[in-house]
Amino acid sequence: MRSDCPLNYGLEIFGDKWTLLIIRDLMFFGKRYYNEFLASDEGISTTVLADRLSLLERQKIIRKRKDKEHKQRIVYSLTEKGIDLLPVLINIGLWSDKYASRLNPHRDIIIGAAKKDYMSGIEEMKRRLYDIHLQ
Amino acid sequence: MRSDCPLNYGLEIFGDKWTLLIIRDLMFFGKRYYNEFLASDEGISTTVLADRLSLLERQKIIRKRKDKEHKQRIVYSLTEKGIDLLPVLINIGLWSDKYASRLNPHRDIIIGAAKKDYMSGIEEMKRRLYDIHLQ
DNA sequence: CCGCATCCCTATAGATACTG
DNA sequence: CAGTATCTATAGGGATGCGG
């Protein structure tokens, strides 16, 4: 499966049904805790979640830390490498929005800004993610 | 796994390691025949290839026809729905190009135009794909 | 030969139950 | 709460068959 194609590099990391959904949860839905990811609509199982979180951390796409206030909780957040996946997620969202028959509730959260003005929408969202995840 | 999230719609279709590689071959490398896809660097197996081609056809992302000249050969091409995946592929490529340590030979073919000027690069490539695939 | 479909077998992904 | 252990289902590789 290894190859030097630039597309393949990305697909080796997030080319499965679950990885990008975790990133989506961090990126658009403000989730930060293990049990919040577990509670996603798609019903990710705990083995898959643990596996993908550790993969994403090894790839330096997310970062894990202890919660400052509740020392026993673990907080997940995006790195810059993770935030840079924003245009990928946005464009999957734009494509799905164009071709999915069924409307859906999270549409505006994910592609609202980018649909008005792609470039400035992306920039605005990116700034917000920097504030939240890179403090 | 079903949910109404717009990201999930796309991931249900191409959220695996192989589907987008076939689209890449159609989109950037000018491949059109079954045996050309089989010969990809990543070594897709014939069972997986047949499965994904039929999936992509059912999803109306690709179209299959008889070759005009060699009647016994089958030609695959992208539909408009398939061509609209261009920004997704491009952005995976841009991200990989930023973070993959290993350089690779197909870099320019995939992200060259989009890196100079994203919007006009995409438009230019899209026009070329329309010419080739939608005749 | 070309484009698959089928069969078999193995590797891996994923669901459930359980634990520090 | 944040995972592991265990078990099972499924995906995928390779060989082969088969119609056009």
Side-chain angles (χ1 to χ4, degrees):
Chain A
M1 180 66 187
R2 296 261 122 237
S3 86
D4 288 349
C5 174
L7 274 165
N8 195 51
Y9 172 81
L11 292 177
E12 286 280 332
I13 297 173
F14 52 75
D16 75 288
K17 301 208 189 282
W18 294 113
T19 309
L20 285 183
L21 290 177
I22 295 171
I23 296 171
R24 170 203 65 180
D25 285 349
L26 279 159
M27 203 170 259
F28 301 111
F29 301 157
K31 298 188 182 178
R32 335 203 53 189
Y33 302 112
Y34 193 90
N35 60 327
E36 289 181 311
F37 301 120
L38 258 191
S40 71
D41 283 351
E42 292 85 10
I44 191 169
S45 74
T46 178
T47 32
V48 176
L49 177 58
D51 178 75
R52 299 303 136 84
L53 286 173
S54 93
L55 168 82
L56 287 170
E57 201 199 359
R58 282 200 307 282
Q59 293 291 341
K60 305 211 188 295
I61 288 170
I62 65 173
R63 182 185 299 127
K64 62 188 283 192
R65 286 184 244 177
K66 312 267 179 193
D67 195 310
K68 302 253 159 142
E69 287 133 32
H70 315 270
K71 282 278 186 185
Q72 67 275 37
R73 290 200 101 183
I74 289 171
V75 195
Y76 294 93
S77 57
L78 292 164
T79 62
E80 188 188 350
K81 186 175 179 182
I83 292 174
D84 279 338
L85 283 171
L86 180 65
V88 174
L89 290 256
I90 293 283
N91 277 292
I92 296 173
L94 288 168
W95 183 85
S96 300
D97 182 62
K98 181 168 179 184
Y99 291 106
S101 49
R102 197 152 38 156
L103 290 179
N104 86 87
H106 301 316
R107 191 178 169 284
D108 278 346
I109 301 175
I110 297 180
I111 59 161
K115 212 168 180 184
K116 275 187 212 156
D117 178 333
Y118 179 82
M119 284 303 195
S120 63
I122 296 261
E123 280 313 310
E124 181 198 327
M125 298 179 78
K126 200 170 166 180
R127 257 179 271 120
R128 284 196 41 242
L129 289 171
Y130 267 78
D131 287 347
I132 295 168
H133 292 267
L134 307 181
Q135 24 184 324
Chain B
M1 182 65 187
R2 297 259 123 239
S3 86
D4 289 350
C5 174
L7 274 165
N8 196 51
Y9 171 81
L11 293 177
E12 286 280 331
I13 297 173
F14 53 75
D16 76 286
K17 299 205 191 283
W18 295 112
T19 310
L20 285 183
L21 289 177
I22 295 172
I23 298 171
R24 170 203 65 180
D25 285 349
L26 279 159
M27 202 170 260
F28 301 112
F29 301 156
K31 298 189 183 178
R32 334 204 54 186
Y33 302 113
Y34 193 89
N35 59 326
E36 289 181 312
F37 300 119
L38 258 192
S40 71
D41 282 351
E42 292 83 10
I44 192 168
S45 74
T46 179
T47 33
V48 174
L49 178 58
D51 178 75
R52 297 305 136 82
L53 285 172
S54 93
L55 168 82
L56 287 170
E57 199 199 1
R58 283 200 307 282
Q59 293 290 340
K60 307 210 187 295
I61 289 170
I62 65 173
R63 182 187 299 126
K64 61 189 282 193
R65 286 183 245 178
K66 312 265 179 197
D67 195 308
K68 303 254 158 141
E69 288 132 31
H70 316 270
K71 281 278 189 186
Q72 65 274 35
R73 291 202 99 183
I74 289 171
V75 194
Y76 294 94
S77 57
L78 292 164
T79 62
E80 190 189 347
K81 187 175 179 183
I83 292 173
D84 278 338
L85 282 170
L86 179 65
V88 174
L89 289 257
I90 292 284
N91 277 292
I92 295 173
L94 287 168
W95 183 85
S96 299
D97 181 62
K98 181 167 177 184
Y99 290 107
S101 49
R102 198 154 33 159
L103 289 179
N104 85 87
H106 301 316
R107 192 178 168 282
D108 278 347
I109 301 175
I110 296 179
I111 60 162
K115 212 168 179 185
K116 275 187 213 155
D117 178 333
Y118 179 82
M119 285 300 194
S120 64
I122 295 262
E123 281 313 308
E124 180 198 328
M125 298 179 78
K126 200 170 167 181
R127 257 180 270 119
R128 284 195 41 239
L129 289 171
Y130 267 79
D131 288 347
I132 295 169
H133 292 268
L134 307 181
Q135 30 181 326

